[in-house]
Amino acid sequence: MRIHRRRGWEIPESQATPEAFVLNRRALMAAGGAAMLAPAGAQAQWLFGPRRDAADPWTRLPADLPDLPAATRNMRYVPGRDLSPERDTVTFNNFYEFGSDKGIWQTALRMPVRPWTIKVEGMVERPGEFGVDDLIRRIGIEERVYRLRCVEAWAMTVPWTGFELSKLLSLVGPLASAKYVRFETATIPAVMPGLRQSWYPWPHIEGCTIEEAANELSFMPVGLFGRPLPPQNGGPFRVVFPWKYGFKSGKSVSRIVLTDQRPKSFWETLQSSEYGFWANVNPEVPHPRWSQATERLIGSNERVPTRLFNGYGDFVAGLYTNLRNERLWA
Ligand code: MTE
């Protein structure tokens, strides 16, 4: 993601590689079997130790954050890979509001995540402002293990807890005129030093079409590894589109707008020739400055082939059949 200044996405791979963290593989396999039986929170505690263990600063969460209700893993979404190590998942992040390198997790942990409300407005029948805990109670949560493919050619496998975006949108009733959904990340200057970098187009905006929002894969995580979603991963509330490059998944969302205008997103505003609106994963379409044919798995550092739509084509390919003139892969 090259504009004039060097950003974290451009640091050499050797610097971007997180500290090795090896999980007992047998324990992970056992976890796969137990997934059918145990709620996500219980699995996470069994596998990764008690929540908020003071010995593991990378799992530290604000003390007043309520635990998530137990969530059952939805086995319809099979990642076909081991989970990424939890430690790497919560300490190797892209979140430019907190800084442009991968190690922003401690800075991000200063962000207050309660109370947290999300405005959902624009072309809807019933605009509203919802507390995140209220949404969790009203909609209910489940766990889904998704692959996350960053445009920088690294990947993770992440157990998110949350709910489908479509369930949130059904609370407000999208109007027929709504064609797009825009996601806006909160701006909290007191705790987000990145906002002082005025050359970035804050607030962070991302967007998708109303059809993409309605797809069953579009997910709003409020948790990770059975714990509440930590700020560095976009807590308390973010969006993920697992078939798109990771930059499409806006973090710490506080406003969602349904609109008839295609949102111009953060990275598209900065460098539209490299980062577009669609950003669907495609191994055969290289980024202008590097190949997208393979990806490095965070944790093991193994390099594996990248798959079209990040392997989710059965769920989403139909969304794009009439859009051949669009830049679907950038
Ligand atoms: N959302 C906001 N608000 N700010 C960001 O800098 N980075 C994006 C995306 N969402 C980003 C963001 C990028 S580039 C990626 S790859 C993913 O978040 C990384 O998510 P993770 O840190 O949970 O792995």
Side-chain angles (χ1 to χ4, degrees), residues 9 93-97 148 150 185 204 233 238 246 249 251:
W9 292 26
N93 301 101
N94 276 328
F95 202 163
Y96 277 67
E97 285 84 338
L148 172 77
C150 180
T185 295
H204 185 283
N233 292 92
R238 79 182 282 182
S249 58
K251 293 179 164 182

Side-chain angles (χ1 to χ4, degrees), residues 270-314:
L270 282 167
Q271 189 79 329
S272 63
S273 58
E274 300 194 354
Y275 309 102
F277 172 76
W278 299 99
N280 297 307
V281 175
N282 189 337
E284 291 180 4
V285 180
H287 183 277
R289 289 178 286 120
W290 58 82
S291 164
Q292 296 291 23
T294 64
E295 61 207 55
R296 182 175 63 89
L297 302 182
I298 297 296
S300 69
N301 279 336
E302 191 186 343
R303 199 157 267 284
V304 299
T306 287
R307 294 163 66 193
L308 185 62
F309 291 115
N310 201 20
Y312 293 101
D314 288 350

Side-chain angles (χ1 to χ4, degrees), residues 1 9 89 92-97 99 148-152 154 156 158 160 185 202 204-206 232-234 238 245-252 266-267:
M1 298 217 141
W9 292 26
T89 308
F92 179 89
N93 301 101
N94 276 328
F95 202 163
Y96 277 67
E97 285 84 338
L148 172 77
R149 171 57 157 84
C150 180
V151 72
E152 299 168 306
W154 54 261
M156 295 199 197
V158 184
W160 305 108
T185 295
W202 311 115
H204 185 283
I205 300 289
E206 260 309 336
Q232 63 269 35
N233 292 92
R238 79 182 282 182
Y245 291 114
F247 70 88
K248 293 295 297 179
S249 58
K251 293 179 164 182
S252 305
F266 184 78
W267 288 109

Side-chain angles (χ1 to χ4, degrees), residues 135-154:
L135 286 177
I136 291 170
R137 262 191 308 273
R138 281 173 76 174
I139 301 178
I141 53 173
E142 60 179 276
E143 187 184 66
R144 292 190 183 183
V145 183
Y146 280 168
R147 295 179 295 276
L148 172 77
R149 171 57 157 84
C150 180
V151 72
E152 299 168 306
W154 54 261

